[in-house]
Amino acid sequence: MDPTANKLYNKISKYDSFASKEVINKAFIISKKAHANQYRSSGEQYFTHPLAVANVLIDMKLDSSTIITALLHDVVEDSDVSLDLIKNEFGEEISKLVDGVTKLSKLDIRFGSAQAENFRKLLLASSDDIRVLLVKLADRLHNIRTIKGIQNDKKRSRICYETLEIFAPLAERLGINAIQRELEDRCFAELNPETRDSILKRLKLIYSQDEFNIPIITKELENFLKKNNINCMISGRVKSSYSIWKKMQFKNLSMDQLSDIMAFRIIVDDVNECYTTLGLLHQKYSAIMGRFKDYISAPKRNGYQSLHSSLIGPKKTRIEVQIRTSVMNEFALNGVAAHWIYKEGAKSSETIRYKWVRELIQVLEESSEPEEFLENTKLEMYNDQVFSFTPKGNLIILPKGANAVDFSYAVHSEVGNAAVGAKINNKNRLITTEIKNGDQVEILTSKNGFPDPKWVNSCITGKAKSGIKRFIKNREIKEFLHLGTALLQKEYRQQNKRMHEKSLIKVINEFGLSDLQELLIEIGKGNINSRNVITFLYPDKKKVSPTLPSLKKPSSHDSVKLKGVIPGMAIHYAHCCHPLPGERIVGIVTTGKGITVHALDCFSLEKFNDMPEMWLEISWEREGDTFHKGSLVAVLANEPGSLAEITKIISTNNGNISNIQVISRDIDFYKFNIDLEIKNINHLNQIIAAMRLSQFVENVERGKD
């Protein structure tokens, strides 16, 4: 066994009876071999880093699986060692831990402090096991301890800023105060060495005046409270240089103005004694105005509870006192990861509190089965959120299950409206692909792009859904406006007149509309017939020929020739089936009405089955040059451009739209009745066939009244 690996094992085995000498030695050898030809910026062999990380975690008394993970945490990213190899050699648990640390390492990107809180959330959300975060923190701690080995000043500064913004607060929230303070102090020394030295010199001067300040003040406070029958434990400490600097910056104060360079923690028996103790201290010593915080009645977001007050205490020294119960103190020491987890509408009893490192270490020391405990120590914070990045590093937070469409609208509505695809982690993906934690997402846009109405069913954010619906509605209004304008202009042309808004004011008022645009939209929707508008404006004006003057409108007096009709009888064409030249027909003779021509497959003929005397066998003699009324029922995709394409198809195939009416609509589809002017059944079938080739047409059939 390698001597260094043996030393590691000896340290671990003192608190973890499940540690395996063979497994630790195997991890040591694999890591050392994988990093054999790699060197750090300082020139040291790279293997010194995973070894140091392992020792940091041993000092925290983490289990052997965590130590093995520390030894292997860089091998997947930096060598040809695969996760499959790790799984085969060390099992599923360690493979998952190594994979978790590897993924977190890939999340280290450059961004501003505005994104720091979100990035901390991402670290938490991306970690299924607390030990992944502990390895990551130990990894960062050793990198900061050896940061002088990096020659590039800007790189050193970037790493330190990132550490102060992300990892030190993360350590604080996980309850690892020792790592937090060391990270802060070392980064502060790198970024602001002169300021730090100045604060340290100032602190030294303050305490050189009376080196027993803290013990003397502690004793005086204890005696005073015990005389007043308060059972308590008191401890004092000096704030770190970095915490002092933060307060000086945040509150714009000098060191002499800071009242909490020294802090004293007073632990009492219950909540009532917290307030009693506070009252006694305020009677005995002068309180500094504006320096009282009641975190018992109004706890911090992370659940922290305590009374804080600043006093002119013993020896006329400014001090801060923190008064809490032992339960509150235990919670403050154990820490919480990030925030309380609240479910919407949940009661306080349903909230989940996470006690972390100190509880973990206590269990490791006392439990005979620490692995079982660690196996269930899972992170469940933010499991309803997904954290992803733009190519520039801006972090976008989405609900779990969100896809690239949601992402596009979260970036900006204009991006969503122009989206045509997405690149996720530099690979082309469908725009409806679900986003995972840590994904880098680039939305591909086009000036001709527009949202697909079907996206409404796949996206989950309100912003995306409303953005899609709003865009489609606006495009739909434009289409109806365009169609209504075309239909009305056509009617005007048939009357040899020009359309003027002034002449339409009467119509607008008659229908109770607001303006010309609304009138045109209603015509486009089929709610108002364009012919009725003309009839209203010109009641005495007779209709003139349609667009094609060589063809005639159908009428009972000027129709195509029919074989078998009774001379002198009036001929009508049934509105239920709109019979067309070229299809088989039959006549129904009705007294006082004449002959009604039906298509042979018309459903209305069923009511004449028992009246054969009314049936008249007729057929088309010739088609002639007459236009006939045809009807279509079309189901179109609810997408921009769909209606425009259908009108174009009909026009291209020499059909003429006389009316369009919306029958029904939903998120995905519109159902239209389209009345056409066509020559014969073959003409209608030609139009139907052409429409069925369109990507916008879900279904189209011949219409029946």
Side-chain angles (χ1 to χ4, degrees):
M1 185 175 187
D2 186 282
T4 305
N6 191 49
K7 287 182 181 179
L8 287 178
Y9 168 74
N10 289 336
K11 290 180 182 178
I12 300 167
S13 61
K14 289 179 181 179
Y15 62 86
D16 184 357
S17 59
F18 290 86
S20 166
K21 181 182 291 188
E22 291 75 18
V23 175
I24 289 172
N25 186 58
K26 186 196 299 182
F28 183 94
I29 292 171
I30 288 176
S31 180
K32 189 173 184 179
K33 183 178 179 181
H35 297 302
N37 298 316
Q38 299 172 0
Y39 297 88
R40 309 192 77 214
S41 300
S42 61
E44 294 178 298
Q45 285 193 329
Y46 192 88
F47 180 66
T48 59
H49 171 65
L51 185 60
V53 172
N55 276 299
V56 169
L57 295 168
I58 288 173
D59 291 340
M60 294 170 62
K61 297 183 180 179
L62 269 297
D63 67 312
S64 58
S65 293
T66 309
I67 308 307
I68 291 168
T69 301
L71 290 171
L72 300 170
H73 78 274
D74 278 334
V75 296
V76 173
E77 190 172 8
D78 297 341
S79 74
D80 57 0
V81 176
S82 67
L83 274 175
D84 288 338
L85 186 147
I86 291 175
K87 184 177 180 180
N88 292 335
E89 294 290 339
F90 301 99
E92 182 78 21
E93 179 190 17
I94 291 173
S95 173
K96 285 185 176 180
L97 290 172
V98 172
D99 186 35
V101 178
T102 302
K103 287 178 179 176
L104 288 192
S105 298
K106 292 178 180 178
L107 295 178
D108 285 354
I109 62 172
R110 303 181 185 187
F111 52 88
S113 59
Q115 295 289 327
E117 174 63 19
N118 290 334
F119 193 81
R120 283 194 292 274
K121 290 180 181 180
L122 172 60
L123 288 174
L124 290 165
S126 301
S127 307
D128 292 329
D129 193 312
I130 186 178
R131 292 172 292 180
V132 170
L133 283 176
L134 299 181
V135 174
K136 187 62 184 171
L137 281 174
D139 170 72
R140 179 53 61 114
L141 178 62
H142 183 250
N143 284 335
I144 293 299
R145 284 176 176 174
T146 57
I147 198 164
K148 293 295 183 184
I150 298 175
Q151 303 302 314
N152 187 302
D153 293 343
K154 289 184 178 180
K155 186 175 181 181
R156 286 203 311 274
S157 296
R158 178 185 66 80
I159 293 172
C160 287
Y161 275 120
E162 184 181 79
T163 301
L164 289 177
E165 290 174 359
I166 305 300
F167 293 96
L170 186 63
E172 180 183 19
R173 290 186 176 188
L174 291 174
I176 317 172
N177 296 323
I179 289 182
Q180 175 209 347
R181 286 194 294 269
E182 185 175 350
L183 289 175
E184 289 177 342
D185 193 54
R186 288 182 180 274
C187 290
F188 187 42
E190 175 65 33
L191 296 172
N192 296 285
E194 295 180 0
T195 303
R196 178 176 178 271
D197 289 344
S198 176
I199 291 173
L200 291 175
K201 287 178 182 178
R202 181 69 176 149
L203 285 173
K204 187 176 181 180
L205 178 63
I206 290 172
Y207 293 108
S208 66
Q209 297 171 2
D210 190 342
E211 59 182 353
F212 300 110
N213 258 348
I214 290 179
I216 290 175
I217 293 171
T218 300
K219 191 65 178 177
E220 184 173 326
L221 292 174
E222 282 181 347
N223 291 337
F224 169 69
L225 291 174
K226 285 180 179 179
K227 284 180 182 178
N228 286 276
N229 300 316
I230 299 294
N231 181 37
C232 62
M233 292 186 298
I234 302 177
S235 59
R237 62 186 176 88
V238 180
K239 294 291 184 70
S240 70
S241 58
Y242 180 67
S243 65
I244 291 172
W245 171 240
K246 278 200 298 186
K247 290 207 171 187
M248 288 172 65
Q249 282 189 311
F250 180 71
K251 299 183 178 181
N252 197 25
L253 299 173
S254 66
M255 266 191 76
D256 292 333
Q257 293 174 302
L258 291 177
S259 59
D260 54 358
I261 291 175
M262 287 188 295
F264 294 85
R265 186 173 300 135
I266 303 172
I267 311 299
V268 296
D269 292 337
D270 54 43
V271 173
N272 287 335
E273 286 198 351
C274 288
Y275 288 100
T276 301
T277 300
L278 178 69
L280 290 170
L281 291 175
H282 279 189
Q283 291 175 30
K284 174 73 172 177
Y285 305 106
S286 298
I288 299 173
M289 297 300 293
R291 298 289 301 148
F292 168 67
K293 296 288 178 61
D294 185 351
Y295 293 121
I296 293 179
S297 63
K300 290 185 178 182
R301 285 192 305 168
N302 62 10
Y304 174 87
Q305 289 183 293
S306 184
L307 296 176
H308 290 195
S309 185
S310 294
L311 312 169
I312 306 298
K315 303 181 72 63
K316 303 297 181 182
T317 304
R318 290 170 177 259
I319 62 172
E320 179 187 76
V321 292
Q322 301 169 358
I323 308 167
R324 62 184 72 146
T325 66
S326 57
V327 173
M328 295 175 191
N329 190 55
E330 180 187 355
F331 179 77
L333 292 175
N334 283 333
V336 293
H339 303 284
W340 292 78
I341 300 171
Y342 291 101
K343 293 182 179 178
E344 190 172 350
K347 297 179 180 178
S348 58
S349 62
E350 294 173 317
T351 59
I352 306 171
R353 177 183 297 181
Y354 288 87
K355 296 181 180 180
W356 294 105
V357 178
R358 286 177 174 77
E359 184 179 30
L360 181 67
I361 294 173
Q362 182 179 358
V363 172
L364 286 171
E365 290 175 337
E366 298 176 359
S367 175
S368 60
E369 298 181 357
E371 280 78 4
E372 183 180 346
F373 170 80
L374 286 169
E375 212 169 273
N376 298 317
T377 309
K378 303 295 183 184
L379 291 174
E380 296 180 8
M381 290 87 54
Y382 311 110
N383 60 356
D384 59 343
Q385 291 178 302
V386 174
F387 300 82
S388 50
F389 297 90
T390 67
K392 292 184 177 180
N394 294 322
L395 193 145
I396 303 294
I397 305 177
L398 297 166
K400 188 175 182 180
N403 61 22
V405 175
D406 296 295
F407 184 98
S408 67
Y409 280 94
V411 173
H412 199 281
S413 295
E414 291 182 4
V415 175
N417 290 340
V420 293
K423 277 189 175 182
I424 301 177
N425 302 323
N426 293 318
K427 292 183 179 179
N428 288 322
R429 291 287 185 266
L430 292 173
I431 192 74
T432 53
T433 301
E434 185 175 331
I435 304 299
K436 304 295 184 183
N437 271 323
D439 280 348
Q440 183 188 79
V441 183
E442 178 184 358
I443 300 299
L444 308 176
T445 61
S446 168
K447 62 181 181 180
N448 297 319
F450 53 82
D452 185 336
K454 294 179 182 178
W455 292 352
V456 173
N457 296 328
S458 63
C459 64
I460 66 172
T461 59
K463 184 174 183 180
K465 287 180 181 289
S466 63
I468 294 167
K469 290 177 181 177
R470 184 168 56 251
F471 183 91
I472 291 171
K473 184 177 180 181
N474 291 338
R475 282 289 294 266
E476 176 186 292
I477 289 173
K478 289 180 182 178
E479 286 188 23
F480 282 130
L481 179 62
H482 175 75
L483 179 60
T485 303
L487 290 172
L488 189 56
Q489 284 177 341
K490 172 194 165 188
E491 295 295 336
Y492 267 92
R493 283 196 304 271
Q494 291 178 1
Q495 300 295 337
N496 294 319
K497 290 185 176 293
R498 295 183 64 185
M499 187 173 77
H500 294 286
E501 184 172 354
K502 287 183 179 180
S503 67
L504 290 167
I505 292 176
K506 291 181 181 179
V507 181
I508 293 168
N509 294 333
E510 176 69 17
F511 286 98
L513 305 174
S514 58
D515 53 27
L516 176 60
Q517 179 172 300
E518 188 177 359
L519 172 64
L520 296 173
I521 290 170
E522 290 301 309
I523 293 172
K525 288 181 177 179
N527 296 333
I528 297 176
N529 193 308
S530 58
R531 292 181 182 177
N532 292 340
V533 173
I534 298 300
T535 303
F536 178 81
L537 290 172
Y538 308 102
D540 299 328
K541 191 76 174 176
K542 294 182 179 180
K543 296 281 183 174
V544 299
S545 298
T547 307
L548 299 176
S550 61
L551 298 177
K552 298 178 182 178
K553 289 283 185 177
S555 72
S556 60
H557 304 291
D558 185 14
S559 62
V560 295
K561 299 296 183 181
L562 298 173
K563 291 181 180 180
V565 298
I566 301 171
M569 290 195 72
I571 299 174
H572 305 279
Y573 293 93
H575 294 293
C576 51
C577 56
H578 300 297
L580 294 171
E583 67 180 330
R584 296 175 65 191
I585 54 176
V586 67
I588 298 295
V589 181
T590 308
T591 303
K593 188 175 182 181
I595 300 172
T596 303
V597 181
H598 290 265
L600 192 58
D601 60 353
C602 178
F603 66 90
S604 297
L605 293 175
E606 293 180 3
K607 60 187 177 183
F608 301 109
N609 284 341
D610 297 331
M611 294 175 279
E613 69 279 3
M614 298 180 66
W615 290 64
L616 181 65
E617 186 176 342
I618 59 175
S619 62
W620 302 101
E621 183 176 317
R622 60 183 176 85
E623 294 185 6
D625 57 359
T626 305
F627 261 154
H628 293 264
K629 181 180 178 182
S631 180
L632 297 177
V633 177
V635 179
L636 309 183
N638 186 359
E639 299 182 26
S642 60
L643 191 56
E645 176 161 321
I646 296 313
T647 58
K648 182 179 178 181
I649 289 172
I650 293 172
S651 175
T652 302
N653 286 275
N654 298 316
N656 192 37
I657 298 174
S658 59
N659 189 41
I660 294 181
Q661 184 176 13
V662 180
I663 301 174
S664 62
R665 59 178 292 185
D666 58 26
I667 291 176
D668 295 318
F669 299 103
Y670 276 94
K671 190 174 184 180
F672 287 93
N673 246 346
I674 304 175
D675 290 335
L676 304 172
E677 294 168 356
I678 49 178
K679 292 185 288 186
N680 51 42
I681 188 64
N682 290 334
H683 190 189
L684 181 65
N685 290 338
Q686 176 186 335
I687 292 173
I688 291 174
M691 289 177 65
R692 286 175 176 167
L693 292 174
S694 171
Q695 62 176 336
F696 295 108
V697 177
E698 180 69 17
N699 186 49
V700 60
E701 302 289 346
R702 184 178 178 183
K704 304 289 184 182
D705 287 350

